[in-house]
């Protein structure tokens, strides 16, 4: 047996049986006709450097690619990383036992780079073999021909020939045998196709010449034709099930293989920085023909790779903005693609670093032998870019670059994607406010915008630390509130009325970082202040504010009817007048028993502004009136004291105080507190009041209601006034409106005489009341209740001031005593005054 330097020529035998053995290390070995195949699983070689050796007895030879081609060995990787080594049974280092049994042994050395250790795996396979006249084998890196007799070593170069439109590599040799006086001439040849495969659509067509002229010299008889893949023959049933088709014509054997057929595999590639795939399959065609008396076995293993096709990667964005997590799938890849790293904006992280950061990164395998990668990144990750293209919407952006490697070549490529999600998660700043007696109370909630970015303008003035020192305010990370006096320069005055000033506070908020203006807020309120006062000595004072409707007015330009009567004092936004009723053009008129003095404040500009759309003609006029009573009668009360009363000891007055409370129900168990007001009640809903003295334990004293009434303001002396209790009894004007209720002892009341209760069934605002004519009529349902209360000696029957019967229609309901009506009134010094409110009647 001999070995050629480039191509090999040996005597070989036909396969008798096909079987596969597996070593303890998991290395599989199987006989495949005139070849033996070893499979080293990827689990053994992962992370190691592999070297393959041929073994002949105790001698090992390292198989370089050049030596492997010379001696009949092939080596390749399948898509799963398994190493496949095939050897001819007539390879250089195979053991031949009588041309019938052949033993092929291999050694695999694995060098672990991390531990610098070495593992050696040895495996052998013994195959039985029966020889025919001639056998030809075409492998991807060598071709061989074998005859029954051993041939001397011959060195020849292969020749390229063309057979029926298929290029062939042809190897020919002429051998001269001389044995003593006999000389024999032996010719041998091998021819292997190097093309003949084409792709049309999703089908591979492989043409093999039926008559290979370099190998035959006359007509031959085709005895057998077999098709297989990876060195293994198919049965007819297997071909049909896998959609393989083989057709024999007069000149060719045509094999049709669907792209993606079983036993083939897809392979990843990179072309122009883009992901591409190809389909690879190694069909095997075996022919057996007879030429004269000689038999020839012809076997071709022909690797086919389809042209590269671009595989468009798919990005599936499963992000649900409300979850605030980016959720993306990138696929689909072949199993030979590995994810190496991901670049987040400018930070490159390996797969292990990504997982250690707590980012969810997963690889998913699918039944069609593809895989994809999913990545979930929360919006809160520092690499996520946050922008606001709209006031109420946040846009989250995450640029990603996925870095991949194609194994085992370690060819790298990258794929970039940009994830973007918009979420209406912005709570815009909100401003609200209220008005008090003499100030605005403004409240701003920052929402989701950082407080450091928000600037606030009150009127025309932007707030800063210096300006804020002039106001009472409070600020934190979530809100800001400020108290602005209505006389502050930031307040705009819309109008002036006899009842007061209509003031407006404008609030503007904007984002200083993005230069965005948020919604504006305005609060307008009437402030019931005295704009003018009339004094008994005939002096009149007037305060006039600068109105927004007259922007060009300077307070110093105002005057009374007499143009010489200018403001007594001026500020930027106010003018103050002080004059006598007999000066400055003041007029007087008599109406009944009253004298009415009138004047007016006007604006007369020396140089009128041109009338344009920006400067329309504006009239400023404010009437001032004072009413004095011309004739009035004052009455005095004189009261005598009887000298015939029995002497008694007066009760010490001390610091006994009473209070007026509003009960939440008719049983007088729960009461409204000061912080509950204003209390809202329906107009016709009964109200239950109680006047009590809680501090005293003296049963000899009693609480007496003198008068109770309602007003529109906290001022008990204000008008209009509605009487509820008059001189201890229900008002005679409407006795059904108020009912005086009895007080009995219970767990809260120890001394009933210390309390008085009454029920107001409904407030009736009649048309003939002064309220119908008052400018405050619009506030008629906002009421305050006032009472005059006295404390008397309950056991002093000689003093008729404590008790007296009310008239029949006004009697106390359900009382065991009719001691209500008094014979005379208490003096002002003996009365205590209590009030409650406001009560809003709707």
């Amino acid at each position: 047996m001999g070995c050629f330097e480039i191509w090999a020529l040996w005597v070989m035998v036909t396969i008798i049986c096909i079987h596969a053995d597996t070593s303890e290390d998991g290395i599989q070995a199987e006989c495949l006709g005139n070849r033996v195949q070893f499979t080293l699983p990827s689990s053994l070689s992962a992370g190691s450097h592999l070297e393959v050796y041929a073994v002949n007895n105790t001698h090992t030879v390292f198989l370089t690619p050049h030596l492997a081609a010379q001696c009949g060995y092939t080596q390749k990787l399948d898509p799963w990383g398994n190493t496949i080594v095939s050897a001819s049974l007539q390879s250089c280092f195979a053991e031949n036992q009588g041309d019938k049994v052949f033993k092929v042994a291999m050694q695999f050395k694995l060098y672990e780079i991390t531990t610098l250790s070495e593992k050696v795996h040895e495996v052998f396979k013994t195959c039985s073999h029966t020889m025919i006249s001639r056998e030809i084998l075409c492998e991807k890196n060598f071709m061989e021909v074998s005859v029954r007799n051993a041939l001397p070593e011959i060195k020849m170069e292969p020749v390229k020939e063309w057979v029926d439109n298929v290029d062939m590599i042809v190897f020919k040799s002429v051998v001269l045998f001389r044995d003593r006086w006999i000389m024999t001439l032996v010719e041998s040849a091998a021819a292997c196709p190097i093309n003949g495969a084409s792709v049309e659509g999703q089908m591979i067509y492989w043409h093999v010449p039926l008559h290979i002229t370099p190998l035959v010299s006359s007509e031959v008889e085709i005895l057998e034709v077999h098709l297989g893949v990876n060195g293994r023959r198919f049965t007819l049933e297997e071909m049909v099930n896998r959609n393989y088709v083989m057709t024999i014509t007069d000149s060719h054997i045509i094999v049709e293989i669907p792209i993606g057929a079983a036993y083939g595999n897809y392979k990843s590639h990179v072309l122009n920085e883009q992901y591409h795939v190809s389909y690879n399959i190694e069909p095997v065609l075996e022919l057996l023909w007879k030429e004269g008396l000689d038999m020839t076995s012809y076997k071709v293993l022909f690797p086919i790779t389809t042209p590269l096709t671009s595989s468009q990667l798919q990005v599936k964005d499963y992000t649900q903005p409300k979850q605030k997590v980016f959720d993306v799938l990138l696929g689909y890849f072949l199993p030979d693609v590995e994810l190496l790293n991901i670049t987040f904006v400018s930070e490159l992280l390996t797969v292990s670093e990504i997982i250690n950061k707590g980012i969810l990164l997963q690889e998913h395998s699918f039944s069609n032998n593809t895989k994809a990668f999913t990545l979930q990144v929360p919006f809160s990750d520092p690499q996520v870019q946050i922008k606001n293209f709209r006031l109420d919407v946040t846009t989250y952006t995450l640029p990603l670059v996925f870095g991949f490697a194609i194994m085992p070549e370690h060819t790298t490529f990258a794929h970039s994607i940009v994830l973007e999600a918009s979420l209406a998660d912005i709570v815009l700043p909100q401003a609200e406010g209220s008005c008090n007696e003499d100030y605005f109370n403004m409240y701003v909630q920052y929402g989701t915008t950082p407080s450091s970015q928000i600037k606030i303008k009150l009127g025309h003035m932007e707030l800063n630390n210096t300006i804020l020192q002039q106001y009472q305010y409070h600020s934190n990370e979530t809100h800001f509130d400020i108290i602005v006096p209505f006389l502050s320069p930031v307040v705009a005055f819309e109008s002036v009325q006899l009842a007061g000033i209509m003031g407006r506070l404008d609030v503007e908020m904007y984002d200083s970082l993005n230069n965005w203006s948020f919604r504006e807020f305005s609060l307008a309120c009437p402030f019931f202040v005295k704009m003018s006062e009339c004094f008994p000595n005939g002096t009149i004072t007037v305060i006039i504010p600068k109105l927004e409707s007259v922007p060009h007015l300077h307070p110093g330009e105002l005057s009374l009817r007499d143009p010489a009567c200018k403001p007594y004092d001026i500020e930027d936004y106010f003018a103050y007048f002080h004059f006598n009723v007999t000066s400055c053009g003041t007029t007087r008129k008599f109406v009944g028993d009253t004298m009415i003095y009138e004047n007016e404040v006007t604006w007369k500009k020396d140089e009128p502004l041109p009338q344009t759309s920006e400067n329309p003609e504006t009239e400023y006029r404010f009437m001032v009136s004072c009413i004095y009573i011309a004739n009035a009668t004052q009455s005095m009360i004189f009261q005598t004291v009887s000298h015939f009363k029995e002497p008694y000891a007066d009760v010490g007055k001390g610091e006994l105080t009473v209070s007026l409370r509003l009960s939440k129900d008719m049983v007088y168990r729960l009461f409204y507190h000061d912080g509950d007001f204003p209390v809202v009640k329906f107009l016709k809903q009964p109200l239950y009041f109680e006047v009590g003295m809680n501090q005293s334990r003296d049963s000899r004293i009693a609480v007496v209601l003198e008068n109770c009434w309602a007003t529109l303001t906290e001022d008990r002396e204000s008008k209009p006034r509605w009487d509820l209790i008059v001189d201890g009894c229900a008002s005679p004007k409407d006795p059904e409106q108020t009912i005086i209720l009895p007080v009995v002892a219970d767990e809260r009341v120890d001394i009933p005489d210390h309390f008085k209760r009454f029920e107001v069934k409904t407030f009736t605002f009649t048309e003939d009341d002064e309220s119908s004519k008052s400018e405050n009529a619009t506030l008629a349902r906002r009421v305050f209740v006032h009472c005059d209360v006295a404390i008397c000696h309950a056991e002093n029957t000689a003093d008729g001031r404590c008790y007296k019967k009310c008239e029949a229609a006004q009697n106390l309901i359900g009382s065991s005593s009719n001691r209500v009506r008094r014979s005379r009134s208490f003096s002002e010094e003996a009365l205590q005054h209590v009030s409650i409110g406001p009560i809003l009647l709707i």
Side-chain angles (χ1 to χ4, degrees), residues 514-715:
N514 298 300
N515 198 26
W516 288 339
S517 179
F518 299 115
R519 66 189 66 173
E520 298 180 357
F521 174 79
S522 294
L523 178 64
C525 301
F527 293 94
F528 300 102
V529 295
K530 292 183 178 180
M531 301 303 298
S532 61
E533 287 191 83
C534 306
F535 296 93
N537 63 356
T539 301
I540 301 175
T541 60
V542 182
I543 298 177
I544 300 296
K546 178 181 178 180
L547 297 183
E548 183 186 38
S549 59
V550 192
H552 302 287
L553 168 66
H554 186 273
E557 298 173 347
L558 296 174
S559 66
L560 295 170
R561 283 176 179 165
D562 183 351
C565 291
K566 294 293 185 179
Y568 182 81
D569 193 8
I570 59 172
E571 295 182 5
D572 291 340
Y573 296 93
F574 295 93
Y576 174 71
F577 289 89
H578 183 280
F579 60 97
N580 193 274
V581 296
T582 60
S583 64
C584 297
T586 306
T587 61
R588 182 184 66 178
K589 63 181 178 180
F590 290 89
V591 178
D593 292 336
T594 63
M595 294 183 297
I596 301 177
Y597 292 89
E598 293 182 337
N599 206 322
E600 61 180 359
V601 179
T602 59
W603 177 39
K604 298 181 178 64
K605 189 170 181 63
D606 298 335
E607 297 180 2
L609 294 173
Q611 294 186 22
T612 63
S613 58
E614 290 79 11
N615 300 307
E617 183 178 3
T618 304
E619 181 180 14
Y620 190 96
R621 190 177 300 273
F622 179 76
M623 295 298 300
V624 181
S625 298
C626 284
I627 302 176
Y628 291 90
I629 300 176
N631 297 310
T633 301
Q634 301 293 331
S635 60
M636 298 181 60
I637 299 177
F638 178 78
Q639 178 175 312
T640 61
V641 179
S642 173
H643 295 282
F644 299 99
K645 292 183 180 179
E646 294 292 334
Y648 67 94
D650 288 332
V651 178
K653 295 182 180 179
E655 294 295 331
L656 296 178
T657 59
V658 294
S659 62
L660 173 61
R661 297 197 294 173
L662 175 63
S663 176
K664 294 185 178 181
D665 51 30
M666 63 185 301
V667 296
Y668 292 87
R669 291 291 184 269
L670 299 175
F671 296 84
Y672 291 103
H673 301 286
D674 292 344
D676 298 329
F677 290 89
V679 174
V680 180
K681 294 287 186 179
F682 290 101
L683 187 62
K684 296 184 178 181
Q685 182 179 359
L687 302 179
Y688 300 94
F689 297 90
E690 179 184 89
V691 176
M693 178 176 58
N694 293 313
Q695 296 86 354
S696 175
R697 308 295 300 170
D698 189 349
S699 60
R700 296 171 300 172
I701 59 177
V703 171
V704 177
L705 284 180
E706 180 75 358
N707 299 292
C708 292
W709 66 98
T711 63
L712 298 178
T713 68
E714 290 184 272
D715 184 3

Side-chain angles (χ1 to χ4, degrees), residues 101-397:
V101 178
F102 299 85
K103 179 182 178 182
V104 179
M106 304 298 299
Q107 186 181 88
F108 300 96
K109 289 185 178 181
L110 299 171
Y111 297 94
E112 293 187 1
I113 300 175
T114 55
T115 61
L116 299 179
S117 61
E118 175 185 307
K119 291 184 180 180
V120 179
H121 302 274
E122 289 192 3
V123 64
F124 68 90
K125 184 64 179 177
T126 301
C127 299
S128 299
H129 197 42
T130 301
M131 188 176 182
I132 61 175
S133 302
R134 179 174 59 171
E135 250 185 39
I136 299 173
L137 175 62
C138 298
E139 273 276 15
K140 68 175 184 177
N141 63 333
F142 71 89
M143 63 183 185
E144 69 179 27
V145 60
S146 29
V147 295
R148 288 187 63 110
N149 297 317
L151 299 175
E153 185 173 340
I154 305 292
K155 296 183 179 181
M156 298 286 290
E157 288 292 337
V159 179
K160 184 175 180 181
E161 292 192 9
W162 186 63
V163 180
D164 290 331
N165 299 321
V166 177
D167 290 331
M168 308 285 286
I169 290 289
V170 179
F171 183 86
K172 293 182 180 181
S173 68
V174 178
V175 181
L176 179 63
F177 271 101
R178 186 177 67 176
D179 187 5
R180 299 181 182 180
W181 303 280
I182 301 174
M183 296 186 66
T184 304
L185 184 67
V186 178
E187 294 184 357
S188 61
C192 296
I194 60 173
N195 59 25
S198 63
V199 177
E200 296 181 13
Q202 292 298 309
M203 191 68 69
I204 298 173
Y205 294 91
W206 179 30
H207 292 72
V208 180
L210 186 60
H211 302 285
I212 305 174
T213 54
L215 304 180
V216 296
S217 57
S218 61
E219 291 293 327
V220 298
E221 180 183 358
I222 303 298
L223 301 178
E224 296 179 12
V225 179
H226 300 280
L227 178 65
V229 172
N230 298 331
R232 299 180 181 87
R233 287 183 181 178
F234 282 153
T235 64
L236 180 61
E237 182 181 3
E238 288 176 327
M239 289 181 57
V240 172
N241 291 339
R242 290 166 175 78
N243 297 319
Y244 287 81
V245 177
M246 184 171 61
T247 304
I248 301 176
T249 66
D250 293 339
S251 59
H252 291 85
I253 300 173
I254 303 174
V255 178
E256 300 178 27
I257 305 173
I259 293 179
Y263 303 111
N265 61 83
Y266 286 95
K267 183 74 178 79
S268 298
H269 303 271
V270 177
L271 180 63
N272 298 327
E273 302 297 328
Q274 300 297 317
Y275 183 58
H276 288 69
V277 297
S278 66
Y279 176 72
N280 306 297
I281 193 167
E282 189 178 64
V284 57
L285 186 65
E286 298 182 44
L287 283 78
L288 181 64
W289 69 73
K290 183 178 181 182
E291 184 180 4
L293 297 176
D294 295 326
M295 305 284 287
T296 298
S297 173
Y298 183 76
K299 180 186 289 186
V300 180
L301 289 89
F302 191 77
I304 299 175
T305 299
T306 62
L308 300 186
T309 58
S310 176
S311 179
Q312 188 68 35
L313 296 178
Q314 299 183 33
V315 178
K316 295 186 177 180
D317 193 349
Y318 298 107
T319 302
Q320 296 183 4
K322 291 185 179 180
Q323 301 298 326
K324 294 191 174 182
V325 176
F326 283 114
D327 188 356
V328 64
L329 178 145
L330 178 60
Y332 293 89
F333 302 93
L334 295 178
D336 59 353
V337 174
E338 292 186 3
L339 177 62
L340 301 180
N341 52 64
I342 301 177
T343 301
F344 296 80
V345 187
S346 59
E347 182 182 16
L348 187 147
L349 299 176
T350 64
V351 171
S352 58
E353 290 173 336
I354 294 172
I355 295 174
N356 291 336
K357 282 190 65 175
I359 297 176
L360 185 59
L361 175 63
Q362 293 179 312
E363 178 180 312
H364 305 270
S365 298
F366 302 98
S367 59
N368 62 352
N369 205 31
T370 63
K371 65 181 179 181
F373 301 92
T374 58
L375 179 69
Q376 293 183 359
V377 181
F379 288 0
S380 58
D381 189 273
Q383 297 298 331
V384 176
Q385 301 172 352
I386 303 176
K387 294 183 179 180
N388 297 97
F389 300 103
R390 285 173 44 190
L391 287 178
D392 57 343
V393 175
T394 301
T395 299
Y396 300 87
T397 305

